[in-house]
Structures are given as structure tokens and as C-alpha cells.
Amino acid sequence: MKAMRMLKVLPLLVLFSSCQAHKDFFTSIGHMTDLLYTEKDLLTSLKEYIKAEELKLEQIKKWAEKFNSISETATKDPEGFLGHPVNAFKLMKRLNTEWLELENLVLKDMSDGFISNLTIQRQYFPSDEDQTGAARALIRLQDTYNLDTETISKGNLPGVHHKSTLTAEDCYELGKIAYTEADYYHTELWMEQALRQLDAGEESSIDKVLVLDYLSYAVYQQGDLEKALMLTKRLLELDPEHQRGNGNLKYFEYIRAKEENTSSSSDSEAVVSKTKKGRPKGHLPERQKYEKLCRGEGIKMTPRRQKKLFCRYYDGNRSPILILSPTKQEDEWDKPHIVRYHDIISDAEIEKVKALARPRLRRATISNPITGVLETAHYRISKSAWLSGYEDPTIARINTRIQELTGLDVTTAEELQVANYGVGGQYEPHFDFGRKDEPDAFKELGTGNRIATWLFYMSDVPAGGATVFPEVGAAVYPKKGTAVFWYNLFQSGEGDYSTRHAACPVLVGSKWVSNKWIHERGQEFRRPCKLSELE
């Protein structure tokens, strides 16, 4: 039996060995799909356990029916029943042997296989950090796309194929995570949503008292004393002995009395400084522009400028590879000049790139502007992998294609970076090139600054996920099989600050991209310098 259990466990070990190195599950849809199969295997194991328990119960029922039948007959005429020597013998046997067998059957633990599997798999489960990261992602989507809690809770998101709703407990957990980060604005929003669902009669493992406790304090922290008092009184109606609630009520009433005394004696400001309700600090003007662009509310290009944007067949300046089969090129923006290439990477190539990248996907990093060292950052939520041309002909072919289309030497470029954006995955506004105050940004590479960026879109995104340029108001939307290209530096070598860009959070779907950062070295004759700084 033990050997059989080990056999059941071993395939699961194989399955999860591939997950062992992965952390930050929420940053990549690609890795979160592994968790779905993890859960499926757990359910299979659970169903086997249930069947075993049901079989055990059936056996116990048979024992019970057998004993019950004998007992019913025996107790009608005990002396007459036991007067039969066989019945006397069988009573001794039942009580000495058969009830012991039944006891052993009842005590038999059918959960060993399931518990063993669960124990092995638990080490590959998401962590508290993953759950918090996924919660932050939902809140980020809520802010970026101006979604109210009711919309998210009911799952009414654009482009969804698998609608899912949030329970009152889910809303409470989101509010609690915001609370632990002193984000009282979102605490209030999500606790109120939990309370609304409880008021509507939803059955839940949490109660209104718990929600009101968090909600009243979050409201008070934002300066709304009257609402905090009202919520605290409601809490005490439900639980008059609530210790913290009674303490808060006395304190809030004391603060209100003090404010009233102060306002009646002078025209000075209230004793308690009230925080203006709204999103947490750090919500900068650039962030507002970035979020507007993500929602499609950005600056619209004038008709006069739009007339200068064209579509064309492009042969890479008469490239021998492209002259007989030019590619479709479209102007996306004028300044900076952003072009899109259509049908530039096939589905087969995309699948090959993703297959090569998946085992290597790790939390995406950024180059520290001071040290030049690669490190993770809260404003870049994705997982990435690097692929070299020498390891697979597909990557080599893609690199050659980029070189032929751009006319730039890619031998000094960085490897192809593949990224997969998870729940609320984004990359906040940034520059691809190193600025003057970052002289060591790419020193280790020894290939100069990043002269240009090439970006493949390897998936369609039902909602969200645009590449936006806040400085100029441009928004480029993902379209599978296309690529966009722009120069980060002027021909003088100076950085073009209008290329500051961002990847909007993915609202629905999974976003796969790959990019090539092309460097200055090797471009001396391909893109000669100009004397004017802004040329």
C-alpha cells in the first residue's frame, strides 16, 4: 500500500519540479497557468480520497445493517435467543472479533494519499507575497481604468470570456491588504463593497462587525469624522460589547466635542487635520497622463498631422531579402516617429519564441541608473527571459529580419528579451536610453547607448496593455504578429525625451511581447551623426 502511495506521489514531483524555481506567480500569466494544472491534480487526488471514504462508509453501513438485524431479533427474546448455543457462540465472536474489525475499519485513515500529495505540492503554492501582489494588481487596474468596486466584484470587464465574481470575503481581503499598507482610500472602497454584499444577504464566513471595524477606522483616517461615528454606532448595535468599537466611539465623540469647542471659541482650523479623500500620495501629473492614455482619453492628433501618416510597402531600402517581398509598414506617430510593421512574425515563430522563453521566465528587471546593476522594481510587473541568436535558428532569423528592416547592425544589440505580463502587468513611464546623469547605465556592455527599440507584439490583448508615450500623447495597441520601432536617440547621439513610454496594465488577457534594444556601436556608417543636437 505504501509503495502504491509513493507511485501516486512521484508523477506530481515531476510536474512541480518545473515550478520550484518560480516565484512572483502573479507577474506572469504563463506561470499562473501551471497553477491551474496544479489545482486540477489536487482535485483529482481529492476525488480519489472522497471515493475511498465513500467506499469505507459503505462497508461500515453493511456492518451496521448486519449487527442491527441480529440485535433486533435478539432483544425481542434475549433468553430464548441465547438459549441456542450457536447464537451464544456468535455473540462472543461478534464482540471479541467482529466489533474489533469494525473499529479498525472506522479508524483506518483514507486520507494518507491525499495528504501526502498536498504536502508535497504545498511547497510550490503561491506565497503571501503572490496573493498581495495579485490584490495590488486588481487595485491598480481599478485606478488606471476608473473601475468601481461593483463592476470588478460582478466581473463586468470588457472582453472577458470567463466571467468571475468576488465574494464579500474576497472584497474584505482586498480591503484588508490596502489597510496593511495604510491605503485607507482603497480600504474604504473595498470594505464598503463587502458591506453592501453582506447587506444584500450574501452568506459569508465574515460578519458585518469585522467589516465595520476596518471601515470606520479607514473613514476616520481620511478625515470624515461624522461618517466614522455613524459606522461605529452601527457596529455597536450589532455587538454592544465590542471593546475597540466602544473605545473608538468615546474617542471620536471626544474629538468632535473638541472641534466644536475650538470652532465656537475661534475661527481657527479644527484641532484634527483632515486628510483629503482620494488616492494615496504619489499620484503625479505624469501618472494621470499615463492613465488617461491607457483609457484611450489622451491627446488626439490633429487632422493636419494625421494626413502626414502613411501606410506603405517597405523593402528596407532595397534589401536583397525584402526587395521581392516587401513588408507592410504603417506610421503610428510623427514625433517621435513610430512605425508599425504588419505580419512581421508568424504564429509558428511566436510559439517557438514562447516555448524557448517559458522555462527561463523570471521577474523582469531594470537597470539601476546609479550602479547599472539589474534589479526588480515595483513599477515593472512582468516576467522576462533572454534569447540568443546562436541557440536557435528561429531567433537568428528574427534578428536578421530586424537588421534588414531597420538598416542597423544588430550584432552589438542586446539579446531578444521576451516578456509576459500577468495580472495587472505593467511597466510605468521610463526611458530606454541612458541619460546624461546615468553615465554608467550600459558601461558593462561596452556598446554605447540604446539607439533604438524594436518591439514585437506576440499576442492580442482583449483589454488594456497599450504602449503609451505620455510626453506626446501617443498610444500603440497590441496586435499579434506586428512590431513597432522607434529611435531613442537623435542622430547627434542626444536622447529623445519624447520617447518616454510605458506599458499599460493588462486589464483582460495575457500579453506577450519581445523586444530588441539596438546599441550605438556598429551604426557609425549606417546612421551617421549630425552636428545639430536635436537632429
Side-chain angles (χ1 to χ4, degrees):
M1 187 69 183
K2 190 174 181 182
M4 286 297 291
R5 277 196 217 115
M6 289 302 294
L7 285 172
K8 288 171 73 177
V9 168
L10 284 174
L12 292 161
L13 282 171
V14 175
L15 173 68
F16 291 103
S17 63
S18 63
C19 302
Q20 191 169 10
H22 302 321
K23 294 180 180 179
D24 301 325
F25 280 105
F26 70 96
T27 61
S28 168
I29 293 291
H31 281 158
M32 280 192 287
T33 55
D34 294 339
L35 295 179
L36 289 177
Y37 292 109
T38 299
E39 189 172 45
K40 185 178 180 181
D41 281 334
L42 272 176
L43 282 169
T44 301
S45 184
L46 179 61
K47 287 174 183 177
E48 289 174 359
Y49 162 62
I50 292 169
K51 283 180 182 178
E53 287 287 7
E54 287 174 342
L55 180 61
K56 174 181 165 181
L57 281 173
E58 284 299 319
Q59 290 176 313
I60 293 171
K61 281 180 183 177
K62 287 179 181 178
W63 277 98
E65 288 168 0
K66 173 186 171 184
F67 291 156
N68 183 64
S69 175
I70 296 170
S71 180
E72 286 286 332
T73 304
T75 53
K76 286 177 181 177
D77 180 14
E79 288 188 12
F81 182 81
L82 292 173
H84 195 303
V86 172
N87 288 339
F89 165 73
K90 292 186 75 172
L91 175 62
M92 298 301 107
K93 178 175 175 288
R94 276 199 308 278
L95 291 173
N96 184 55
T97 305
E98 294 181 12
W99 276 97
L100 182 61
E101 288 177 19
L102 179 58
E103 180 185 0
N104 290 334
L105 176 61
V106 171
L107 291 174
K108 187 178 180 182
D109 189 355
M110 311 303 291
S111 66
D112 283 358
F114 172 65
I115 295 299
S116 296
N117 288 342
L118 187 60
T119 302
I120 289 168
Q121 296 177 44
R122 188 175 285 116
Q123 61 187 306
Y124 307 109
F125 279 11
S127 63
D128 289 342
E129 182 185 350
D130 285 302
Q131 183 174 334
T132 301
R136 286 181 188 145
L138 262 180
I139 291 171
R140 184 162 56 248
L141 292 172
Q142 176 185 2
D143 289 342
T144 303
Y145 296 104
N146 273 348
L147 301 170
D148 58 63
T149 53
E150 187 77 14
T151 298
I152 298 174
S153 181
K154 289 185 175 178
N156 295 326
L157 302 177
V160 293
H161 297 294
H162 307 283
K163 188 174 178 180
S164 185
T165 58
L166 294 174
T167 64
E169 186 180 357
D170 294 332
C171 296
Y172 164 76
E173 287 296 332
L174 285 165
K176 196 166 76 168
I177 287 170
Y179 180 87
T180 58
E181 298 181 349
D183 177 3
Y184 300 115
Y185 169 71
H186 288 106
T187 302
E188 179 184 359
L189 293 178
W190 283 105
M191 289 300 176
E192 282 188 335
Q193 181 61 34
L195 190 61
R196 275 195 296 273
Q197 292 181 204
L198 291 173
D199 286 342
E202 181 181 316
E203 291 186 10
S204 178
S205 59
I206 60 164
D207 58 27
K208 294 178 186 180
V209 171
L210 188 60
V211 174
L212 285 164
D213 192 14
Y214 278 97
L215 180 56
S216 59
Y217 187 74
V219 167
Y220 167 71
Q221 283 293 330
Q222 294 180 87
D224 195 340
L225 185 60
E226 291 304 316
K227 187 175 179 181
L229 267 166
M230 181 269 290
L231 291 167
T232 304
K233 287 176 181 176
R234 185 181 172 189
L235 183 157
L236 291 172
E237 286 174 6
L238 297 169
D239 183 2
E241 304 301 318
H242 196 280
Q243 187 175 355
R244 187 165 46 249
N246 281 299
N248 285 346
L249 181 64
K250 290 176 183 177
Y251 179 70
F252 294 159
E253 287 176 338
Y254 164 75
I255 293 296
R256 183 170 67 174
K258 201 167 187 178
E259 285 184 358
E260 287 172 353
N261 291 335
T262 304
S263 61
S264 62
S265 61
S266 69
D267 294 326
S268 60
E269 292 183 1
V271 174
V272 179
S273 60
K274 295 188 178 183
T275 306
K276 185 181 178 182
K277 281 198 175 187
R279 288 171 61 179
K281 291 180 180 179
H283 191 56
L284 302 174
E286 183 187 50
R287 176 84 188 183
Q288 293 173 345
K289 286 196 289 184
Y290 153 61
E291 290 183 353
K292 278 188 174 182
L293 285 168
C294 291
R295 294 193 295 268
E297 301 171 4
I299 305 164
K300 304 299 179 186
M301 187 180 285
T302 63
R304 188 170 185 175
R305 287 172 63 189
Q306 282 182 334
K307 287 180 181 178
K308 296 179 181 179
L309 303 181
F310 295 97
C311 295
R312 64 189 69 83
Y313 282 100
Y314 183 68
D315 63 8
N317 293 322
R318 301 188 68 76
S319 160
I321 294 175
L322 298 169
I323 196 166
L324 294 177
S325 57
T327 189
K328 290 175 278 187
Q329 186 191 69
E330 176 187 1
D331 293 326
E332 285 279 355
W333 204 259
D334 53 356
K335 291 183 180 180
H337 190 207
I338 306 168
V339 295
R340 187 194 293 262
Y341 294 91
H342 292 268
D343 303 321
I344 201 62
I345 184 170
S346 68
D347 288 350
E349 288 172 324
I350 287 171
E351 291 308 311
K352 183 64 177 179
V353 169
K354 286 162 69 173
L356 291 170
R358 269 196 182 94
R360 311 183 202 177
L361 286 174
R362 297 293 181 272
R363 180 72 181 266
T365 56
I366 54 100
S367 177
N368 186 299
I370 299 172
T371 64
V373 175
L374 294 176
E375 56 189 32
T376 61
H378 68 88
Y379 54 83
R380 188 177 191 187
I381 311 297
S382 64
K383 282 189 174 176
S384 63
W386 300 85
L387 304 178
S388 299
Y390 63 79
E391 62 186 285
D392 192 273
T394 301
I395 308 304
R397 188 165 62 249
I398 287 170
N399 288 342
T400 301
R401 192 176 305 150
I402 294 171
Q403 179 162 304
E404 293 300 321
L405 285 165
T406 62
L408 299 174
D409 186 352
V410 298
T411 59
T412 58
E414 294 173 50
E415 294 177 344
L416 188 71
Q417 181 183 219
V418 183
N420 179 223
Y421 291 81
V423 180
Q426 63 166 6
Y427 192 177
E428 291 185 7
H430 63 281
F431 297 104
D432 281 350
F433 64 90
R435 275 76 69 211
K436 287 182 178 179
D437 59 346
E438 303 168 345
D440 297 331
F442 307 110
K443 187 177 180 180
E444 291 182 1
L445 298 177
T447 53
N449 212 339
R450 287 174 176 167
I451 193 172
T453 296
W454 178 282
L455 178 65
F456 283 113
Y457 292 115
M458 302 198 301
S459 65
D460 292 313
V461 181
T467 306
V468 298
F469 296 73
E471 294 297 314
V472 296
V476 180
Y477 293 91
K479 184 181 178 185
K480 187 178 181 181
T482 69
V484 291
F485 173 78
W486 67 86
Y487 281 103
N488 296 307
L489 307 179
F490 293 112
Q491 282 189 252
S492 62
E494 292 294 322
D496 183 350
Y497 284 79
S498 68
T499 62
R500 186 170 174 81
H501 60 285
C504 295
V506 176
L507 180 56
V508 177
S510 175
K511 180 182 175 184
W512 283 88
V513 297
S514 57
N515 65 278
K516 194 81 171 171
W517 282 310
I518 304 171
H519 283 248
E520 290 177 293
R521 296 292 178 268
Q523 321 308 338
E524 293 81 358
F525 297 105
R526 292 172 181 260
R527 193 182 188 236
C529 288
K530 288 194 175 181
L531 298 178
S532 174
E533 188 174 320
L534 299 180
E535 281 190 79

